[in-house]
Amino acid sequence: MPTRLDSFAAVVAAATLLFLYVRNRRARSPLANIPGPSPVSSWKGNLPQIFNIKGWDFPSYIFATYGRVAKMHGLFGREVLYVSDPRVVRRVLLNFPPPPMVVESHNLVNGSGLLGTMGDQHKKQRKMLNPLFAVKHVKAFTPLFFDMAQKLRDTYLNELGIAEEPRTMNMHYWSSRLTLELISQAAFGQSLDPLNSEDSAHPYTVAVRAMLPAALPLSVFRLTTPYLKYLGPKSLRRWLVHALPWPALNEMGKVVDVIYSTAVSTYKQKKTIDLDDPSHKDVMSVLLNANKRASQEDRLPENEVISQMGTLTAAAHDTTPNALARIFWHLGQDQRVQDKLREEILSAKLDINNPDIVQLYDELMALPYLDAVLRETLRLTSPVSMLQRRANVDTSIPLWKPIIGVDGSDITTLNVTKGTDFILVIVNAHRDPEIWGPDALEFKPERWLNPLPDAVGDAALPGVYFQLLPFGGGFKACIGYKYAELQMKVMLYTLLSAFKFQPTTDKVIWNMHMVATPSVEGVKGSQLPMKVSAIV
Ligand code: HEM
């Protein structure tokens, strides 16, 4: 029979073992000396703070308390580095992939397109698609974009009666409709929305707009995505999505089906046309043609070509309308900037019917204040506020500026092991006063008209868009950023020439999803109400 003493000894032994286990684990971790906040959940660590749609204060709190590097916890105590140090951001973005969960979630929804692939498969796709998104190709869409933006302007003026009296318009909704129409025409050569009335009812447009709301209730299950393939073949998984008594999943299934079947029918239709006919300029036609001519080694299989359609639509639609809405929001908040921008636009008098498309594109891009407003919005309020990556090797990364370790020593290099997770905090890197100056938190387009602080060059953030990261950087950087830039500039040029935009009394909230989205309390869906008046 064990005595009380035996029981006591067993408890002490167990406690000692547990203590040693925890201590050894901590000692073994090369991140043990990196300071950071305590986890708020025993199994979710700091994730509820990191991925909180109302959590804008968290990145600023971390920056103020810990600086550019903080250690946090993910699921079941997994260590996560929350980083805005520009040298670390550079090394990580240029070398490490997103964690499998991120890539697999994209793959489940849009198949094996750019967002849903990694490694050699992804490299091969980029090789095929990069030239189609180069400036030379994007320039060719300038007249189409102006045509569509003018259509929207005329609908506002006439069908919606703004020529007669001001109206409150949801600028997110209209940016989203224009984005979808432009991507349909430019990327797939088909028009889905004539943009001439209040509503758009094309099933594809409806499905794409429903995608993000449908994905939100499922986002907590993203963690399981790398393992879903073990449930069986695709056909079985597809059947389960519709058959399980789970409304959120069934809804997502319906949305994905519409997007996929439209992609397949577009692909089949493209195979019947003469792709050598130069009038077929849309991305999909050019891609099919390039793929047909590619060497066996470089050629993409059919399913990967089809998957690009949903991928490009989702990537363009989930981001550009929110970026545009944010610009309109800033212009509403700061009427001085709006007036100054309109003045530049009205005095530029671009000939938008200029048959020299290259000249028209170059003149639009050369408008300095328009460019400065865009850059400043994407700096201060980047639509994407964080990126996720996972180390694929053990390595050491020197820091831009040292941090102070838990033991009080200076840390100048991060030693990370394979598998370490990173949250790259774009919002902090874009607002760092040591990089951007003491006015880093102010919306000041003028900063881009003057030489930037030397620290911007020294920090060398690895973005594809100037020294900024709204479009990411490295091998998974945004392929469509020149396209997005053109769309945003054309829409601003066209609408600001005709209208004044003012905030309403509604309280607009920006939700910190993976892409920041505006809403109004108590109103369903994305909302950016603005009072729009015609300029007489
Ligand atoms: C303002 C608008 C946009 C923003 C802020 C934006 C932002 C981003 C960011 C941050 C990434 C990198 C994600 C990561 O590293 O994990 C990305 C990737 C991507 N974007 Fe965009 N994007 C925009 C517009 C577009 C447009 C218009 C298109 C297509 C026409 C597009 C297509 C893509 C694709 C295909 C990828 C995946 C690239 C890859 O994995 O190789 N984006 N975007």
Side-chain angles (χ1 to χ4, degrees):
M1 280 282 286
T3 63
R4 265 194 192 170
L5 201 60
D6 290 337
S7 307
F8 178 68
V11 170
V12 170
T16 311
L17 281 173
L18 186 67
F19 167 73
L20 288 174
Y21 172 69
V22 172
R23 198 194 67 173
N24 287 346
R25 260 180 65 104
R26 298 191 79 186
R28 267 205 309 271
S29 164
L31 305 180
N33 200 23
I34 310 283
S38 307
V40 287
S41 153
S42 52
W43 67 282
K44 287 190 279 184
N46 301 94
L47 296 181
Q49 295 167 301
I50 299 173
F51 298 106
N52 173 359
I53 62 165
K54 306 231 179 297
W56 290 108
D57 290 342
F58 187 65
S60 11
Y61 161 74
I62 293 298
F63 190 82
T65 315
Y66 302 97
R68 300 179 184 89
V69 181
K71 188 185 70 179
M72 301 195 191
H73 292 90
L75 274 191
F76 305 116
R78 196 187 173 97
E79 288 172 324
V80 176
L81 283 173
Y82 190 85
V83 179
S84 64
D85 180 285
R87 293 283 148 77
V88 183
V89 171
R90 167 170 281 271
R91 264 290 279 284
V92 170
L93 267 185
L94 298 186
N95 294 287
F96 298 159
M101 171 192 85
V102 172
V103 180
E104 289 297 334
S105 325
H106 287 302
N107 193 298
L108 277 178
V109 176
N110 287 310
S112 303
L114 281 175
L115 284 164
T117 49
M118 278 308 309
D120 289 343
Q121 191 183 15
H122 174 258
K123 236 188 233 162
K124 195 168 146 184
Q125 292 189 10
R126 281 294 299 222
K127 187 173 170 193
M128 182 69 80
L129 282 145
N130 275 343
L132 310 186
F133 286 90
V135 184
K136 186 177 136 227
H137 270 276
V138 173
K139 279 182 183 177
F141 293 125
T142 313
L144 169 73
F145 284 20
F146 268 114
D147 271 4
M148 292 301 117
Q150 284 185 314
K151 227 174 179 183
L152 186 65
R153 179 200 62 195
D154 294 345
T155 300
Y156 272 28
L157 281 170
N158 306 319
E159 279 79 1
L160 303 179
I162 298 178
E164 302 301 320
E165 58 177 334
R167 266 189 77 159
T168 296
M169 310 290 286
N170 177 0
M171 291 310 294
H172 183 277
Y173 171 74
W174 288 98
S175 302
S176 148
R177 276 181 65 181
L178 183 70
T179 301
L180 271 177
E181 179 56 11
L182 290 181
I183 189 91
S184 310
Q185 291 216 29
F188 319 117
Q190 49 186 290
S191 171
L192 302 179
D193 180 356
L195 295 171
N196 60 0
S197 64
E198 201 105 21
D199 297 311
S200 139
H202 193 284
Y204 188 70
T205 322
V206 173
V208 174
R209 287 175 58 80
M211 168 90 82
L212 214 55
L216 280 180
L218 300 171
S219 51
V220 65
F221 301 100
R222 280 176 92 196
L223 297 164
T224 61
T225 52
Y227 313 104
L228 294 182
K229 54 181 173 250
Y230 301 115
L231 282 178
K234 251 189 183 157
S235 50
L236 172 70
R237 284 183 276 146
R238 180 172 288 236
W239 178 81
L240 280 173
V241 164
H242 293 288
L244 286 173
W246 186 355
L249 188 67
N250 309 146
E251 179 56 28
M252 190 66 185
K254 278 191 223 154
V255 168
V256 169
D257 280 355
V258 173
I259 292 176
Y260 180 70
S261 59
T262 312
V264 171
S265 60
T266 306
Y267 177 79
K268 283 187 178 153
Q269 185 264 332
K270 298 268 169 227
K271 288 193 85 173
T272 65
I273 61 177
D274 174 12
L275 293 170
D276 290 327
D277 176 345
S279 68
H280 299 305
K281 286 198 278 279
D282 61 274
V283 173
M284 205 67 174
S285 299
V286 181
L287 170 62
L288 252 72
N289 208 9
N291 204 37
K292 197 173 75 182
R293 290 163 194 287
S295 66
Q296 189 64 31
E297 186 188 87
D298 286 341
R299 192 169 304 151
L300 304 181
E302 200 169 59
N303 72 314
E304 291 184 29
V305 175
I306 293 172
S307 297
Q308 305 305 340
M309 183 164 173
T311 301
L312 293 174
T313 314
H317 178 261
D318 293 347
T319 49
T320 320
N322 292 306
L324 267 165
R326 189 64 103 154
I327 303 175
F328 281 110
W329 180 81
H330 277 300
L331 296 178
Q333 301 293 310
D334 196 333
Q335 294 289 321
R336 178 197 70 84
V337 172
Q338 186 180 151
D339 291 344
K340 190 168 168 185
L341 178 55
R342 184 174 300 102
E343 210 176 293
E344 176 181 270
I345 288 171
L346 291 175
S347 56
K349 293 198 177 65
L350 299 188
D351 172 10
I352 56 174
N353 298 313
N354 187 350
D356 186 345
I357 295 170
V358 173
Q359 189 186 16
L360 174 59
Y361 175 90
D362 290 347
E363 282 174 2
L364 178 70
M365 290 299 145
L367 293 178
Y369 203 60
L370 177 60
D371 195 51
V373 168
L374 208 70
R375 289 193 209 184
E376 185 63 351
T377 304
L378 295 173
R379 180 193 70 84
L380 186 63
T381 43
S382 171
V384 177
S385 49
M386 311 176 255
L387 291 171
Q388 288 172 264
R389 292 295 186 264
R390 181 170 289 173
N392 53 10
V393 285
D394 295 351
T395 188
S396 299
I397 311 178
L399 297 173
W400 186 52
K401 300 273 157 101
I403 56 167
I404 304 193
V406 174
D407 64 3
S409 63
D410 269 2
I411 299 176
T412 55
T413 302
L414 278 186
N415 296 312
V416 296
T417 48
K418 185 175 169 176
T420 302
D421 278 328
F422 288 86
I423 301 284
L424 305 176
V425 196
I426 297 178
V427 72
N428 281 356
H430 282 187
R431 295 175 179 187
D432 189 329
E434 267 190 81
I435 300 179
W436 299 98
D439 57 358
L441 291 178
E442 291 171 40
F443 179 71
K444 242 190 199 176
E446 283 75 10
R447 82 176 67 242
W448 295 96
L449 305 177
N450 301 312
L452 293 168
D454 289 346
V456 175
D458 184 46
L461 287 166
V464 285
Y465 181 75
F466 307 102
Q467 296 90 341
L468 297 170
L469 296 165
F471 300 104
F475 52 95
K476 292 289 274 179
C478 180
I479 202 169
Y481 78 100
K482 279 280 160 201
Y483 178 106
E485 184 190 32
L486 177 63
Q487 180 192 332
M488 292 191 281
K489 287 190 172 179
V490 167
M491 185 162 173
L492 290 169
Y493 184 93
T494 311
L495 294 191
L496 282 168
S497 315
F499 305 107
K500 184 176 170 71
F501 295 87
Q502 288 167 296
T504 64
T505 50
D506 295 292
K507 189 166 179 264
V508 174
I509 301 158
W510 285 90
N511 302 290
M512 197 170 153
H513 296 303
M514 287 315 280
V515 180
T517 314
S519 66
V520 168
E521 219 160 67
V523 187
K524 217 175 145 213
S526 302
Q527 301 285 334
L528 179 65
M530 293 198 85
K531 182 179 158 199
V532 183
S533 347
I535 294 169
V536 280

